[in-house]
DNA sequence: AAAACGGGGCC
DNA sequence: GGCCCAGTTTT
């Protein structure tokens, strides 16, 4: 059975001991050379590629967490124009940072990045720490970000294991168990670490190139669906390709289902301005501006905000990673003491200062006001 | 080990 | 309608 660990390969967990362990778990030299050559020729030209400023590299890595390259492209330069340095980011109001982040999601990333910037200014002379341990201690910096930033900016021999690398190595080694399992993650982590150390030891290329090559392969060739194995530089060594199971890996585990909640959203208008409120500092969309909203039927807006719901403007469904809003926007009148908030011109709500979750309400309100 | 945490593109 | 993306933190 599978609990006969003595017979298993220590590196890939395959049923038999195999060649994996030569090189101490690193990918063999020809494999590394093939991937690095491919990367030099095929790397996409991206604004943060070739960047030397550690701060700008860091910003790109945080924005790219769980986020498509295309979405980052639209906001990266704009963010850096507004916050061109660690010091500029550190002294900005959090609300300004969150506005610049609007639409990217996972707003905690922006909050942590700014907190980290403040630590850098206070304790690291306004620089990004070149010491991996000091960098890892900063808010929002996990193992991936440590490896990515420290390798790209400082040529540190540290792995950067993201979703791409998990997929590439799951296929290359044909890891049949889901990477959610700790044992599988240890294998991937070990191969990534030994490989980047080998690249550094043999001075093949800067370690940042190696880490990015692995990720770039996952983005361009070893894609989640319909991998382009025929054009993959690692195809000759890929066990999943040999067995015809590349597309089936990595194996995913069932995800928890998303609860659905009814949400009442208030559109209170006064003198062509709309009432907006700051969302609570913890929880969903923490700290961002939003329309007053409460779970439940429209009537809850009166008890929650002193806003009496009137005509319904629109209903929509917004899917988050872990829950669903079944939302309805209501034209409201202020009946009690106005809630703490701000009154913004409608146009301000449409300029990417707002989380996307409220977009249908803003659009419907604009339509309603344009056609009285 | 699982859940919280966004948004959007793609099939 | 579900999957997945250059993840981190908390439970």
């Amino acid at each position: 059975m599978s609990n006969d660990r003595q017979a298993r390969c220590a590196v890939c967990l395959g049923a038999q001991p195999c060649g994996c362990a030569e090189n101490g778990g690193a990918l063999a030299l020809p494999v590394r050379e093939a991937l690095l050559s491919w990367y030099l020729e095929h790397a996409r030209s991206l604004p943060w590629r070739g960047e030397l400023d550690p701060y700008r590299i860091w910003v790109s890595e945080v924005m790219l967490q769980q986020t498509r390259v295309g979405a980052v492209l639209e906001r990266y330069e704009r963010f850096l124009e507004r916050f061109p340095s660690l010091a500029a980011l550190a002294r900005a109001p959090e609300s300004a940072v969150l506005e610049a982040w609007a639409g990217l999601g996972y707003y905690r990333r922006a909050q942590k990045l700014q907190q980290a910037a403040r630590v850098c200014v206070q304790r690291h002379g306004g620089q990004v720490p070149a010491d991996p341990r000091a960098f890892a201690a900063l808010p929002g910096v996990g193992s991936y970000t440590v490896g990515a930033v420290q390798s790209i900016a400082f040529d540190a021999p540290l792995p950067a294991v993201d979703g791409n690398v998990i997929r590439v190595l799951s296929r290359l080694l044909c890891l049949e168990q889901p990477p959610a399992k700790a044992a599988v993650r240890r294998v991937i982590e070990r191969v990534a670490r030994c490989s980047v150390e080998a690249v550094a030891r043999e001075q093949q290329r800067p370690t940042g190139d190696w880490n990015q090559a692995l990720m770039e392969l996952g983005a361009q060739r070893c894609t989640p669906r319909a991998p382009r194995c025929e054009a993959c530089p690692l195809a000759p060594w890929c066990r999943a390709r040999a067995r015809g199971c590349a597309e089936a890996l990595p194996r995913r585990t069932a995800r928890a289902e998303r609860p659905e909640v009814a949400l009442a959203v208030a559109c209170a208008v006064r003198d062509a301005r709309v009432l907006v409120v700051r969302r609570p500092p913890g929880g969903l969309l923490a700290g961002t501006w939003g329309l007053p909203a409460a779970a439940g039927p429209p009537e809850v807006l009166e008890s929650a905000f002193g806003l009496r719901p009137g005509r319904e403007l629109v209903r929509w469904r917004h899917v988050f990673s872990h829950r669903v809003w079944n939302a309805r926007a209501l034209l409201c009148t202020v009946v009690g003491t106005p809630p703490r908030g701000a009154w913004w011109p409608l146009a301000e709500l449409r300029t990417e200062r707002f989380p996307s979750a409220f977009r249908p309400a803003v659009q419907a309100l604009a339509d309603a006001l344009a056609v009285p």
Side-chain angles (χ1 to χ4, degrees):
Chain A
M1 284 303 290
S2 61
N3 57 7
D4 183 9
R5 298 178 185 198
Q6 304 291 2
R8 291 191 163 277
C9 169
V11 173
C12 70
L13 299 183
Q16 303 291 328
C18 62
C20 282
E22 301 166 12
N23 305 311
L27 302 179
L29 182 61
V31 183
R32 280 179 270 138
E33 286 178 338
L35 181 53
L36 284 167
S37 299
W38 174 85
Y39 177 70
L40 288 180
E41 187 173 353
H42 292 96
R44 290 166 296 179
S45 174
L46 298 169
W48 47 89
R49 286 261 161 86
E51 180 58 59
L52 296 178
D53 180 353
Y55 165 66
R56 297 172 73 93
I57 293 168
W58 184 6
V59 169
S60 76
E61 291 301 340
V62 175
M63 283 191 172
L64 285 162
Q65 290 169 8
Q66 296 292 283
T67 306
R68 306 272 171 179
V69 167
V72 174
L73 284 176
E74 296 169 15
R75 295 172 178 84
Y76 178 67
E77 299 288 3
R78 186 165 62 79
F79 186 93
L80 287 173
E81 280 174 25
R82 196 156 178 192
F83 311 110
S85 68
L86 231 25
L89 181 59
R91 64 173 169 261
E94 183 187 74
S95 57
V97 179
L98 289 173
E99 279 178 27
W101 207 266
L104 276 175
Y106 286 138
Y107 297 94
R108 203 159 300 174
R109 293 180 294 173
Q111 295 169 326
K112 302 267 189 187
L113 179 61
Q114 186 184 32
Q115 292 165 16
R118 290 176 171 163
V119 175
C120 290
V121 167
Q122 289 164 9
R123 299 219 295 263
H124 301 292
Q127 302 292 116
V128 177
D131 169 19
R133 296 210 306 181
F135 185 65
L138 296 169
V141 178
S143 66
Y144 165 78
T145 307
V146 172
V149 172
Q150 296 287 314
S151 66
I152 297 169
F154 304 119
D155 197 24
L158 297 171
V161 178
D162 72 335
N164 287 309
V165 177
I166 289 171
R167 189 171 58 254
V168 167
L169 294 182
S170 290
R171 289 173 176 168
L172 190 64
L173 301 173
C174 200
L175 304 177
E176 311 228 31
Q177 296 294 309
K181 287 193 170 189
V184 175
R185 293 302 291 269
R186 279 195 296 272
V187 169
I188 294 169
E189 199 57 52
R190 171 183 157 92
V191 174
R193 177 171 44 80
C194 293
S195 296
V196 73
E197 287 174 354
V199 168
R201 191 169 53 243
E202 297 170 19
Q203 300 185 351
Q204 282 185 278
R205 294 285 302 165
T207 58
D209 279 12
W210 171 253
N211 285 334
Q212 292 186 88
L214 234 22
M215 293 189 273
E216 191 75 359
L217 189 74
Q220 290 195 41
R221 295 290 186 274
C222 197
T223 51
R225 287 176 306 250
R228 299 176 56 191
C229 300
E230 71 288 346
C232 176
L234 302 192
W237 300 280
C238 183
R239 294 183 183 182
R241 168 156 170 78
R243 298 179 198 183
C245 63
E247 191 153 9
L249 300 179
R251 245 196 61 196
R252 38 251 181 202
T253 51
R255 192 157 48 92
E257 54 187 88
R258 291 184 273 245
E260 309 220 359
V261 300
L263 191 80
V265 176
C267 295
V269 182
R270 193 174 69 188
D271 301 331
R273 288 168 178 265
V274 184
L275 176 64
V276 298
V277 297
R278 177 90 71 193
R279 295 181 60 81
L284 194 58
L285 302 172
T288 62
W289 289 103
L291 295 173
E299 301 81 64
V300 302
L301 291 172
E302 186 151 348
S303 53
F305 299 103
L307 298 171
R308 180 165 299 158
R311 180 160 75 89
E312 179 175 294
L313 291 174
V314 66
R315 293 186 184 216
W316 74 100
R317 180 181 170 83
H318 188 84
V319 181
F320 295 91
S321 54
H322 60 300
R323 79 188 55 178
V324 177
W325 278 357
N326 287 310
R328 52 208 295 199
L330 298 308
L331 224 37
C332 289
T333 54
V334 179
V335 291
T337 57
R340 187 182 312 278
W343 294 84
W344 285 5
L346 184 57
E348 298 292 315
L349 278 64
R350 307 186 65 184
T351 54
E352 292 292 322
R353 298 178 66 181
F354 243 50
S356 301
F358 295 103
R359 186 174 302 163
V362 173
Q363 183 60 52
L365 184 56
D367 294 344
L369 295 180
V371 186

